[in-house]
Amino acid sequence: MGSTSAHDENSTGEGLGRRDLIKRSAALGLMSVPTMSLLSACASGGAAPKGNGAKAAITKENPFGVAKGTKLDVVVFKGGFGDDYAKAWEAAFDKKWGTTSSHLGTQEITGKLQTRFNGGNPPDVVDNSGAQKIKLDVLFKSNQLADLTPVLDAPSLDDPDKKVRDLLIPGTVEQGMQGGKCVSLNYVYTVFGFWYSGKLFKEKGWAPPKTWDAFLDVCTKAKDAGLGGLAHQGKYPYYINVVIMDLIAKKGGLEAMKAIDNLEPNAFEGSAAALAAVEAVYEVVEKGLLLPGTNGLTHTESQTAWNQYKAAFIPSGSWLENEQIKQTPDDFDMQFLPMPLLPDSKLPFEAIRAGAGEPFIVPEQAANKPGGLEFIRSMLSREWSTMFAQQANSLTVVMDGVDQSVQLRPGTQSAVKALKAAGANTFNYLYPDWYSEMDTAIQDASNELMAKRIQPKEWIKRAQAAVNKAAQDPNAKNNRRS
């Protein structure tokens, strides 16, 4: 598990990580000015594609024509997962194909790559994640992303009689779609919810809550014991937004989620589930159940305070354990909790947001596009999936892709257990990648809500305004969920 996102994140406090199934998904709007300059530069044409001219014969074993002696340029987001896994991949790739890989691990994806995209000489493979990722919808509209459908339809390395797509966890391909085309491969299988210390709960005699009322009760007991109830990553409202959106999906069911992704005129306004969800989160604020000062903390600062037993709960994706490994006491016993239920919820308690995060892309103008496509295909083998799990303590989107000998840590094990309990009751939003501006606007509203600068009904109004604006995007007609 990872996005994402968001990613997924760093442990140094330098920037927000992942994923972002979700996708850590969201880029938080922190790079809006440079992103627009990227868009302008790309839209004006940029340089012509530069190929290295070397391409081998296409065969079933070499479906993209990777040529020996070529170079492969790989850039990965160095966040909660580190980048040792990518170095292991590159070594394996070079050994098999006779290529020479160059590697860059960085949190400054936009800073390092914007000029390269603008100049027509992007890398061959990019893990486009973190707070400084380049927004996928911007890259797509600028014709900067290679279509990954040929990879999905290529023979799997594990079973050449099956296509790569046949061995992926359901929803993976959908998560990488832009305008009806698959242009990113979201690699890390991530679950989202609340996290708590098994040790703290055992010491206090608290039971993991299954309803929102029970959740508020534990938060109140925490406050009475001199702790915070809920810590959240105040400077990055991406996280608390996950709580709101998950409550909407669980109370209103999949139709409430799809209404948001499909930009329905009543996605928020007129949605009883949406109002109930926002009011529930606001109740935590009104009752003083937040960890004091959490609104002003970065993700790593709030997560570290939580690791120091200063709060009962924190929201995050399943990259949290790996990201916090240096700050987590050995006996902390990190545990995952699905989002507790509001009254009359349509989905069961076991239902969780789960899906593919950490988007990998092959730029359309990559010098070694065959190598980039083959690298993605190799990532979707059991061998490379196991390498990732060993290095990053996370699962991938390859079904049964991790060797049983790999030992996952307690928090990740608890997330895997929750995923099995959820069964078919998983869900995931697509709007963060489809409409980055809308995502940022909703996060901004959540930030205002947590600071008590707006009330729930104003949050609903702002969120619906963001939906209505996104609906004017000409590309929206191609982004539809059934």
Side-chain angles (χ1 to χ4, degrees):
M1 284 154 209
S3 16
T4 156
S5 111
H7 269 141
D8 173 299
E9 298 166 37
N10 71 89
S11 330
T12 64
E14 292 172 9
L16 174 67
R18 228 59 42 269
R19 292 85 57 207
D20 202 292
L21 285 185
I22 63 154
K23 273 177 132 210
R24 288 323 273 355
S25 304
L28 308 174
L30 300 182
M31 305 301 294
S32 57
V33 175
T35 300
M36 287 312 296
S37 62
L38 167 71
L39 176 58
S40 303
C42 294
S44 63
K50 298 175 183 177
N52 56 23
K55 191 170 183 179
I58 291 176
T59 64
K60 189 172 184 179
E61 291 74 28
N62 189 4
F64 309 113
V66 179
K68 285 189 177 181
T70 53
K71 296 179 179 179
L72 189 74
D73 188 348
V74 182
V75 176
V76 299
F77 171 72
K78 190 176 180 179
F81 299 127
D83 63 347
D84 287 344
Y85 71 89
K87 293 175 183 176
W89 285 350
E90 291 153 19
F93 194 84
D94 289 345
K95 183 177 180 181
K96 178 176 180 178
W97 293 102
T99 50
T100 303
S101 292
S102 65
H103 172 91
L104 173 63
T106 180
Q107 292 176 19
E108 303 172 16
I109 299 296
T110 293
K112 299 290 187 185
L113 298 187
Q114 178 176 314
T115 54
R116 295 191 59 185
F117 272 100
N118 291 353
N121 64 328
D124 302 311
V125 180
V126 181
D127 169 19
N128 183 38
S129 193
Q132 298 184 48
K133 73 178 183 180
I134 304 174
K135 294 175 180 178
L136 278 174
D137 54 342
V138 173
L139 286 172
F140 175 71
K141 291 172 188 175
S142 308
N143 300 312
Q144 292 281 358
L145 299 177
D147 185 357
L148 298 184
T149 305
V151 177
L152 300 174
D153 290 335
S156 162
L157 286 166
D158 295 311
D159 184 352
D161 292 329
K162 291 185 178 180
K163 294 179 179 180
V164 168
R165 68 167 72 241
D166 297 333
L167 300 181
L168 304 182
I169 288 171
T172 300
V173 175
E174 186 180 33
Q175 198 69 31
M177 301 291 278
Q178 292 279 345
K181 187 184 294 186
C182 183
V183 293
S184 73
L185 187 280
N186 292 268
Y187 189 67
V188 184
Y189 199 67
T190 306
V191 303
F192 296 83
F194 283 129
W195 297 81
Y196 65 95
S197 161
K199 177 187 177 184
L200 178 65
F201 271 54
K202 188 174 181 180
E203 285 180 354
K204 299 293 185 183
W206 300 337
K210 293 188 176 183
T211 67
W212 194 256
D213 284 343
F215 170 78
L216 292 176
D217 184 55
V218 175
C219 287
T220 302
K221 288 177 179 175
K223 183 181 179 182
D224 292 343
L227 311 178
L230 176 65
H232 81 110
Q233 302 84 336
K235 286 192 175 180
Y236 298 108
Y238 163 87
Y239 294 86
I240 199 66
N241 210 55
V242 166
V243 179
I244 294 172
M245 302 306 290
D246 285 9
L247 286 171
I248 293 173
K250 293 184 81 163
K251 182 170 176 63
L254 299 183
E255 293 309 310
M257 177 193 70
K258 291 176 183 177
I260 295 169
D261 280 344
N262 288 337
L263 308 178
E264 299 292 345
N266 62 348
F268 291 107
E269 288 185 333
S271 167
L275 183 59
V278 184
E279 287 179 337
V281 172
Y282 192 64
E283 192 172 356
V284 176
V285 181
E286 278 195 311
K287 290 186 173 179
L289 301 178
L290 286 178
L291 170 70
T294 192
N295 281 339
L297 301 182
T298 65
H299 61 296
T300 48
E301 288 168 346
S302 61
Q303 290 161 190
T304 299
W306 171 74
N307 278 141
Q308 294 167 346
Y309 305 105
K310 292 179 180 177
F313 300 100
I314 197 163
S316 187
S318 47
W319 60 83
L320 178 68
E321 185 172 36
N322 210 55
E323 182 171 75
Q324 291 296 116
I325 191 165
K326 292 179 181 178
Q327 288 75 31
T328 306
D330 290 340
D331 59 351
F332 188 81
D333 188 22
M334 194 178 293
Q335 295 291 312
F336 174 79
L337 179 73
M339 197 59 57
L341 291 182
L342 293 171
D344 303 317
S345 288
K346 292 186 178 180
L347 297 183
F349 164 72
E350 290 78 12
I352 51 177
R353 185 195 297 217
E358 202 73 12
F360 282 76
I361 59 175
V362 175
E364 180 61 32
Q365 297 187 35
N368 190 0
K369 192 173 169 184
L373 296 174
E374 182 61 36
F375 195 87
I376 299 290
R377 183 171 82 120
S378 303
M379 286 168 54
L380 299 170
S381 66
R382 289 194 183 96
E383 180 188 0
W384 282 32
S385 182
T386 296
M387 276 192 237
F388 182 84
Q390 288 170 331
Q391 299 285 352
N393 183 47
S394 297
L395 300 183
T396 74
V397 295
V398 181
M399 284 192 287
D400 302 319
V402 176
D403 189 280
Q404 295 301 309
S405 65
V406 177
Q407 290 295 309
L408 299 171
R409 298 189 186 101
T412 302
Q413 286 181 12
S414 74
V416 171
K417 184 178 178 181
L419 196 57
K420 289 180 179 177
N425 283 305
T426 61
F427 60 91
N428 203 8
Y429 286 91
L430 298 180
Y431 77 86
D433 283 335
W434 282 354
Y435 312 108
S436 57
E437 188 179 337
M438 166 184 157
D439 184 38
T440 300
I442 295 175
Q443 288 181 32
D444 288 346
S446 297
N447 187 42
E448 296 291 287
L449 183 83
M450 299 308 288
K452 293 181 78 171
R453 288 191 289 265
I454 65 172
Q455 302 283 315
K457 287 182 179 176
E458 176 64 20
W459 187 99
I460 294 288
K461 183 180 176 182
R462 293 188 185 191
Q464 188 64 53
V467 166
N468 297 345
K469 185 174 181 181
Q472 297 170 14
D473 184 338
N475 202 42
K477 64 181 184 296
N478 295 316
N479 292 334
R480 296 290 298 176
R481 301 187 72 143
S482 56

